[in-house]
Amino acid sequence: MTVTATAGGTPGNAPAPISMIERMTVILDAFDPQTPSLSLLDLAERTGLPRSTLHRILDQMIRLRWLTHSTGSYRLGLRTLELGGRAAGHSEIRDVVTPLLHELCRRTGLAGHLAVLDGREVVFLDKAGGRCAAQLPTGLGVRLPAHTTAVGKAILATLDPGLVDSAYRGPLPLSTPRTLRTAADLRHELARIRQRDGLALDNEETLSGIRCVAAPLRGGGPATAALSVCGNHQAVDFKELAPLVRDLAGEAQRALFSRLQQRRVG
């Protein structure tokens, strides 16, 4: 929602925000899908806060990851996206996706994962696939670097590129010789994923000998989660699995949206 400042410097007819929580809320509300990047002047006009006060609060919000700053503009930070994912309800996502994931694993004989983004890591919410899955060091609550995994890259590709650039700078931690090495490598990989309608590939980047294909669960904005199928690199054919994973993600997203709608109506 955009807050419009009056000539007197306060937004509309609303009283000027006094507490730090009120000021932070007004700042976060200044961003919207049409204007994801705002300058200091933009924020001053939209919030009605004095520039000196605003600059001090913005510095604190950047330090706490509510916002990110580059080349004279401010954007929403990773913390807002992390809270958005939690608000979607990890348990609810798992309840909806798990039956579909288990069915796909039964059909393909591969392992399946469901994960969400938390900072620069993915957290696994579920794992399926019997003997194949047992061979992988993943499971409920396990964390892995997002840039090495198919699920992580599938989610990162749905985020604003400026936000990803601010979170990833310089060399990246390596898990295998095939892991993406630099922020530029990641940027190019995410561009390719967007061209493939969100389908991501882990080509032995997390574990040698293991390949994964993933797709994000998303509505109109950033993905709340991603799911993948994984297996021995010789058994995972991207062209064969890509449509299956994409269709599963679409079905899961529709089922999740339907459940949320029913809950609102109820």
Side-chain angles (χ1 to χ4, degrees):
M1 177 183 70
T2 301
V3 182
T4 305
T6 65
T10 57
N13 295 320
I18 298 175
S19 72
M20 178 60 77
I21 292 178
E22 288 177 317
R23 291 172 176 178
M24 285 181 61
T25 301
V26 168
I27 291 170
L28 293 174
D29 281 349
F31 295 88
D32 57 38
Q34 287 69 44
T35 50
S37 176
L38 296 171
S39 67
L40 179 63
L41 178 59
D42 293 331
L43 286 167
E45 291 177 344
R46 290 184 177 215
T47 64
L49 294 170
R51 289 198 204 179
S52 58
T53 300
L54 182 60
H55 196 275
R56 185 173 65 254
I57 298 173
L58 291 174
D59 284 344
Q60 296 181 57
M61 293 179 74
I62 291 170
R63 179 170 54 82
L64 295 172
R65 296 188 302 119
W66 287 109
L67 297 176
T68 184
H69 178 252
S70 64
T71 61
S73 65
Y74 297 85
R75 295 172 179 268
L76 295 177
L78 282 174
R79 187 178 291 270
T80 59
L81 296 170
E82 292 162 13
L83 289 179
R86 293 170 194 166
H90 291 175
S91 295
E92 192 157 32
I93 294 173
R94 190 165 57 245
D95 290 345
V96 169
V97 177
T98 293
L100 300 173
L101 192 61
H102 276 267
E103 174 59 22
L104 181 61
C105 292
R106 186 192 65 78
R107 289 167 52 193
T108 61
L110 299 173
H113 293 104
L114 171 66
V116 294
L117 185 69
D118 188 5
R120 289 174 40 141
E121 297 178 317
V122 288
V123 182
F124 289 92
L125 301 185
D126 207 350
K127 179 180 181 180
R131 179 182 300 177
C132 180
Q135 298 173 358
L136 303 176
T138 52
L140 182 62
V142 171
R143 292 173 172 267
L144 289 175
H147 73 281
T148 73
T149 65
V151 285
K153 290 186 289 185
I155 298 174
L156 290 173
T158 71
L159 306 185
D160 183 280
L163 179 59
V164 178
D165 287 344
S166 68
Y168 289 90
R169 300 178 184 275
L172 302 178
L174 300 181
S175 298
T176 76
R178 290 180 175 269
T179 302
L180 298 174
R181 294 176 176 271
T182 68
D185 291 338
L186 177 61
R187 190 180 309 116
H188 294 151
E189 176 67 7
L190 298 183
R192 286 192 289 267
I193 292 170
R194 295 184 191 104
Q195 292 174 353
R196 296 195 296 258
D197 295 326
L199 288 164
L201 175 66
D202 169 0
N203 189 20
E204 303 183 67
E205 297 162 57
T206 303
L207 291 169
S208 295
I210 299 297
R211 300 180 85 199
C212 304
V213 180
L217 273 63
R218 64 181 305 188
T224 55
L227 52 83
S228 70
V229 290
C230 308
N232 183 281
H233 70 285
Q234 296 176 332
V236 175
D237 183 286
F238 181 81
K239 290 184 179 180
E240 178 182 338
L241 289 172
L244 297 177
V245 175
R246 182 185 59 237
D247 291 348
L248 176 65
E251 185 177 354
Q253 182 59 44
R254 288 189 294 273
L256 183 61
F257 178 77
S258 176
R259 177 175 291 201
L260 292 175
Q261 287 293 98
Q262 291 174 6
R263 190 174 64 190
R264 290 177 186 143
V265 172

